[in-house]
Amino acid sequence: MPEAVIGIFGTGRLARAVRRLATEEGLTAPLLDPRRPEQWDQVPPPGVLVDCSAPEAVAHATGLSARLDVPLVECVSGLDEHHLRMLEDRAAGTAVVLAPNLSLGNYLQTRALRVVADVVTTMERAGVTGAVPEAAVLERHPAAKRHRPSTTASRLARQWLRHTGRPAADTASLRCGPAVSDHEIRFTWPEQSLTLTHRVDSLDAAAAGAIGAAQWAAGHAHGTYTVHQVFDDLLATMAARTADDDREDTP
């Protein structure tokens, strides 16, 4: 069965990075300009749509996903409740992946945060005084980034609250420096500190995640998924395949 055509909704830096990487992988991935709907039917029909546009264009991407009856990978960050309700409604008919951060590094950083939270809360329940540290989140984006704090930073802070019951001491934002982003979680005890830092130097990191999420969504049932759920499922599939290979190699 041939790979689904990946329709890329948007023309900005991320959209262009997804298209370039997909093309290098031999995939068909046309750009769909949100400002030129008359051209949307002039490209190969997408089997899945990746929205790399902007909050004001999300309604158009959702509408196009519905018209084509194809899954949607939503990569736009800074969405409000209206956008999220719209995407939830769309998920009643197809797979919708919420992916404000598509990078493998963010997935690993979030998993590491959960490990820290699980360890220190277990120690606290066992009676270790002061086991749970103060936590703070710092994110940096270039000056062109519209909103602050970033969706990724807010989600990291929420993860800490969810797993420890304690809010982050601060979620701070910087708007300066090179393109793409840095996200840091700093844990501080009176006598030591631990920092989990994820730096993205190229949008190729997000583009690779977008392509993987699109291919995953094309084969899954309707519903709302996070990109981390996608990574969890892909990892489980890889682990199962490796286990099968190991069994086959065992004499």
Side-chain angles (χ1 to χ4, degrees), residues 69 71-72 87-97 216-225:
D69 191 24
L72 175 65
L87 293 167
E88 184 177 352
D89 290 343
R90 179 69 195 112
T94 193
V96 174
V97 178
W216 183 93
H220 280 76
H222 67 84
T224 302
Y225 307 90

Side-chain angles (χ1 to χ4, degrees), residues 51-136:
D51 183 15
C52 303
S53 60
E56 56 269 22
V58 168
H60 299 298
T62 306
L64 181 59
S65 166
R67 179 165 72 82
L68 297 172
D69 191 24
V70 298
L72 175 65
V73 178
E74 183 52 68
C75 306
V76 177
S77 62
L79 302 184
D80 59 24
E81 289 301 319
H82 171 70
H83 294 123
L84 295 176
R85 284 194 299 271
M86 186 188 312
L87 293 167
E88 184 177 352
D89 290 343
R90 179 69 195 112
T94 193
V96 174
V97 178
L98 303 179
N101 192 314
L102 293 146
S103 67
L104 174 62
N106 173 253
Y107 171 67
L108 296 174
Q109 184 183 43
T110 303
R111 288 190 64 157
L113 181 153
R114 293 201 300 265
V115 169
V116 172
D118 289 345
V119 169
V120 297
T121 54
T122 297
M123 293 173 67
E124 182 181 57
R125 289 193 297 271
V128 179
T129 302
V132 179
E134 177 184 76

Side-chain angles (χ1 to χ4, degrees), residues 169-191:
D170 194 13
T171 302
S173 301
L174 293 174
R175 292 293 175 265
C176 62
V180 203
S181 63
D182 308 316
H183 291 89
E184 175 183 297
I185 314 161
R186 185 174 300 172
F187 306 106
T188 305
W189 296 265
E191 68 285 348

